[in-house]
């Protein structure tokens, strides 16, 4: 029994959870919260904790601070890294049927595509060289698809899902971004049967040319004088030519987006296609703040009223696959991370082999400018366990789920998870974590969750250390543990530690 855990359990993946640990057991859990600031120390495997602000906008898109100002602000706040999420494209348009390409209204906001993808990546690298103490990780925020309902005749239009977003990380080449299938990115548009249909107006030039060249002869007589009148049918020829040109301009640029913005029946198909496009290029995809709402209404005089809205989309976690995680801690109402909720349900699908990638939780600050909506850069953090303090090291750790999310919404309340362990054989195999950051004693409630079920809910004050023995193990089943910490001014949400049963033959029985 030296290789396996008590009761026959073994870790599914090494260093999968927040703790960077190398073993998982079914005997008991040990975790701790500590209120003393400590130095970052290496854990087993040479991992180091790195404190990051994730989902940050710069002046390249919709932020108010440039890259240098963000790096300087992060350094003053004691952050190790800033994960950028500048909007890759912010172009929206509505066209009136049947001349959508001519009778249209378009709106465009600053974005990475307008700035230049190559320039964006180059500028981030240059800012990194000027600020070596703070990592700047390039990334983008993407809304792959939006669609319209309503009509100009009813004088009301609704644009749906303009804020149903992904965060995309780990794409180092400009060409990777340029071809991503998303609304507003003409480089990703395709040629197909629609292209042939759009070119059919050129056929009108054939009868137009025939009418232009055709002559009509009429012979008349005035007394003894005979005459011949020759006329051309140029007016109808000009009308046909004008119609052909109008239809061709309407169809320009002939290529079509992968998914129409006037089709409301697509569901999550555009998003699944986008996930697959990013992962095929080695990128990392995160659903951004899936329960945040967005609702605005704009009036364009007596002509039309436009509603722009995005409903919460926590069901995306179940209805899409292949993504790497989602925003689980951010400043809005959330329910997906509650015990037995959507997150636990998707983790269960991974345990049973129905998914190849487990969804991990991220903390999102959604930072645009200081003080906006009461947000500061360090109020929501992601603490990442990295092998090397480089952009590549951060991406590798995020992909493996070696992080936990922290919300510290009051300046005097800051938490770090010191240890969240699953241990076997009295410590022979265990996981561990490091670094703490809290500045005093605060009341907290700690919830320990096993496979969606609450096995313990404990109340206390920081510093808080507790040993919990899990005696009701479901033998022969795979499972996962995670921890949720809530206090009056902050919260912690860990990523799961997965365990699976060890076969009797493997256990030497």
């Amino acid at each position: 029994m030296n290789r396996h855990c008590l009761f026959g359990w073994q870790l599914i993946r090494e260093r999968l959870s927040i703790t960077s640990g190398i073993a998982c057991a079914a005997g008991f859990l040990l975790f701790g919260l500590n209120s003393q600031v400590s130095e970052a120390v290496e854990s087993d495997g040479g991992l180091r904790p790195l404190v990051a602000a994730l989902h940050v906008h710069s002046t390249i898109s919709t932020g108010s601070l440039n890259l240098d100002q963000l790096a300087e602000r992060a350094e003053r706040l004691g952050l190790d890294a800033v994960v950028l999420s500048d909007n890759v494209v912010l172009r929206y348009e509505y066209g009136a049927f049947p001349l959508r390409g001519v009778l249209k209204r378009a709106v465009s906001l600053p974005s990475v595509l307008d700035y230049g993808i190559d320039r964006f990546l180059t500028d981030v690298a240059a800012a990194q060289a000027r600020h070596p103490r703070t990592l700047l990780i390039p990334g983008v925020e993407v809304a792959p698809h939006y669609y319209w309902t309503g009509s100009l005749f009813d004088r009301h239009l609704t644009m749906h899902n303009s804020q149903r977003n992904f965060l995309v990380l780990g794409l180092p080449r400009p060409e990777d971004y340029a071809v991503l299938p998303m609304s507003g990115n003409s480089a990703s548009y395709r040629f197909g049967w629609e292209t042939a249909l759009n070119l059919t107006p050129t056929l009108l030039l054939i009868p137009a040319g025939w009418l232009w060249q055709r002559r009509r002869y009429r012979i008349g007589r005035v007394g003894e004088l005979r005459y011949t009148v020759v006329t051309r049918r140029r007016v109808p020829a000009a009308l046909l030519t004008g119609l052909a040109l109008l239809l061709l301009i309407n169809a320009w640029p002939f290529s079509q987006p992968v998914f129409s913005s006037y089709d409301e029946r697509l569901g999550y198909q555009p998003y699944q296609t986008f996930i697959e496009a990013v992962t095929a290029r080695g990128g990392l995809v995160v659903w951004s703040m899936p329960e945040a709402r967005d609702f605005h209404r704009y009036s364009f005089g007596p002509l039309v009223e436009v509603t722009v809205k995005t409903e919460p989309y926590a069901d995306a976690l179940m209805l899409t696959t292949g993504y790497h995680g989602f925003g689980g801690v951010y400043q809005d109402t959330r329910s997906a991370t509650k015990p037995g909720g959507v997150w636990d349900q998707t983790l269960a699908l991974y345990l049973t082999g129905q998914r190849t990638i487990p969804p991990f939780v991220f903390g999102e600050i959604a930072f645009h400018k200081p003080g906006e909506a009461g947000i500061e850069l360090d109020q929501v953090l992601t603490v990442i366990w990295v092998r090397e303090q480089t952009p590549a090291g951060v991406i590798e750790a995020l992909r493996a789920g070696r992080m936990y999310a922290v919300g510290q919404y009051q300046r005097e309340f800051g938490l770090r998870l010191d240890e969240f362990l699953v241990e076997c054989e009295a410590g022979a195999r265990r996981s561990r974590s490091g670094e703490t950051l809290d500045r005093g004693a605060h009341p907290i409630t700690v919830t320990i969750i096993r496979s969606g079920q609450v096995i313990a809910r404990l109340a206390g004050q920081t510093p808080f250390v507790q040993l919990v023995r899990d005696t009701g193990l479901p033998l022969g089943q795979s499972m996962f543990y995670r921890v949720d910490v809530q206090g009056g001014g902050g919260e912690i949400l860990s990523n799961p530690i997965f365990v699976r049963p060890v076969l009797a033959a493997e256990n030497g029985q």
Side-chain angles (χ1 to χ4, degrees):
M1 299 233 353
N2 292 329
R3 293 178 54 237
H4 306 301
C5 302
L6 191 62
F7 304 127
W9 294 86
Q10 187 178 18
L11 182 65
I12 287 181
R13 296 175 59 185
E14 277 192 294
R15 301 183 179 93
L16 184 62
S17 75
I18 59 167
T19 62
S20 74
I22 59 173
C24 214
F28 48 87
L29 273 80
L30 175 68
F31 60 92
L33 292 170
N34 200 307
S35 63
Q36 301 300 317
V37 178
S38 67
E39 296 182 356
V41 295
E42 289 194 8
S43 68
D44 292 341
L47 301 176
R48 288 182 175 273
L50 182 147
V51 181
L54 183 141
H55 191 164
V56 177
H57 294 261
S58 74
T59 51
I60 292 171
S61 62
T62 56
S64 67
L65 302 181
N66 60 36
L67 296 174
D68 292 301
Q69 291 169 328
L70 284 173
E72 292 165 1
R73 195 174 195 87
E75 187 172 339
R76 287 198 303 270
L77 293 171
L79 304 183
D80 301 310
V82 172
V83 182
L84 297 166
S85 300
D86 277 304
N87 303 92
V88 71
V89 60
L90 288 174
R91 300 173 188 167
Y92 309 102
E93 66 178 40
Y94 176 82
F97 180 83
L99 299 176
R100 297 196 188 279
V102 176
L103 304 176
K104 67 179 180 180
R105 172 73 182 271
V107 175
S108 182
L109 300 173
S111 67
V112 173
L113 281 185
D114 292 335
Y115 189 81
I117 301 171
D118 197 7
R119 181 184 174 193
F120 167 66
L121 295 175
T122 300
D123 285 0
V124 172
Q128 178 67 87
R130 293 191 295 270
H131 304 277
R133 296 181 61 181
T134 302
L135 283 180
L136 293 174
I137 315 296
V140 294
E141 182 178 17
V142 185
H145 183 252
Y146 65 90
Y147 68 90
W148 292 94
T149 59
S151 127
L152 289 176
F153 296 104
D154 298 331
R155 295 188 301 176
H156 188 271
L157 297 170
T158 301
M159 183 171 70
H160 303 263
N161 298 338
S162 62
Q163 292 297 316
R164 184 179 282 183
N165 294 327
F166 287 119
L167 305 183
V168 177
L169 305 170
L171 293 180
R173 300 173 301 177
E175 56 267 29
D176 291 331
Y177 297 88
V179 298
L180 294 179
M182 51 191 170
S183 297
N185 180 22
S186 58
S188 70
Y189 292 2
R190 63 186 181 183
F191 295 92
W193 65 267
E194 300 97 335
T195 304
L197 184 63
N198 289 336
L199 290 173
T200 54
T202 58
L203 299 176
L204 294 175
L205 298 177
I206 298 175
W210 179 77
L211 288 171
W212 188 269
Q213 293 296 327
R214 187 182 179 189
R215 298 178 180 181
R216 182 182 180 186
Y217 298 88
R218 184 168 60 87
I219 300 174
R221 181 186 294 272
V222 178
E224 296 296 326
L225 181 65
R226 298 179 63 188
Y227 64 89
T228 302
V229 179
V230 180
T231 60
R232 300 174 187 268
R233 298 182 176 180
R234 291 186 172 179
V235 173
L239 291 175
L240 284 176
T241 301
L243 178 61
L245 291 176
L246 177 64
L247 294 176
L248 288 173
I249 293 172
N250 182 65
W252 180 260
F254 304 124
S255 59
Q256 297 291 318
V258 178
F259 299 100
S260 171
S261 57
Y262 303 100
D263 190 345
E264 59 183 287
R265 304 165 299 173
L266 296 172
Y268 281 106
Q269 185 180 356
Y271 304 92
Q272 187 61 55
T273 299
F274 183 85
I275 293 171
E276 293 167 3
V278 174
T279 55
R281 290 168 175 79
L284 185 150
V285 185
V286 179
W287 275 110
S288 176
M289 300 189 296
E291 295 180 85
R293 293 179 179 272
D294 181 68
F295 185 91
H296 301 280
R297 186 164 285 166
Y298 306 94
S299 179
F300 295 88
L303 296 177
V304 66
E305 184 180 64
V306 176
T307 298
V308 178
K309 69 176 183 177
T310 301
E311 299 291 346
Y313 47 95
D315 58 339
L317 304 183
M318 290 292 289
L319 297 177
T320 59
T321 61
Y323 61 93
H324 296 85
F326 68 101
V329 174
Y330 51 91
Q331 291 173 282
D332 209 320
T333 302
R334 291 162 277 131
S335 62
T337 57
K338 290 183 177 180
V342 174
W343 185 27
D344 286 339
Q345 294 171 36
T346 55
L347 292 173
L349 292 177
Y350 169 72
L351 283 179
T352 57
Q354 299 177 62
R355 297 201 174 196
T356 58
I357 300 177
F360 297 117
V361 71
F362 292 71
E364 287 189 69
I365 184 58
F367 181 85
H368 290 81
K369 64 180 180 180
E372 182 180 49
I375 293 176
E376 183 50 273
L377 195 59
D378 65 343
Q379 284 183 316
V380 178
L381 302 170
T382 303
V383 180
I384 311 164
W385 286 87
V386 299
R387 289 190 173 91
E388 57 181 36
Q389 196 162 329
T390 64
V394 170
I395 296 299
E396 184 273 332
L398 294 177
R399 193 185 302 275
R402 294 198 308 269
M403 71 278 187
Y404 62 91
V406 182
Q408 46 184 34
Y409 311 118
Q410 297 179 11
R411 299 301 302 169
E412 70 276 8
F413 197 105
L415 287 173
R416 288 294 181 275
L417 190 62
D418 185 40
E419 284 190 322
F420 168 41
L421 306 178
V422 177
E423 196 174 87
C424 65
E425 295 183 16
R429 291 169 60 85
R430 60 184 297 174
S431 64
R432 66 179 59 186
S433 175
E435 191 182 32
T436 63
L437 178 60
D438 187 21
R439 293 174 289 277
H442 299 285
I444 57 170
T445 300
V446 180
T447 303
I448 306 171
I449 301 158
R450 187 224 306 135
S451 298
Q453 300 295 318
V454 175
I455 64 170
R457 184 171 280 119
L458 309 167
Q461 284 192 332
T462 56
F464 183 87
V465 177
Q466 181 72 42
L467 178 68
V468 177
R469 186 177 300 276
D470 187 6
T471 58
L473 292 173
L475 298 180
Q477 297 180 19
S478 296
M479 61 185 180
F480 62 88
Y481 290 94
R482 64 183 184 88
V483 64
D484 185 323
V485 182
Q486 298 288 331
E491 63 180 308
I492 284 179
L493 198 60
S494 82
N495 272 301
I497 298 175
F498 295 105
V499 297
R500 65 172 175 83
V502 178
L503 298 178
E506 297 178 3
N507 206 24
Q509 296 179 352

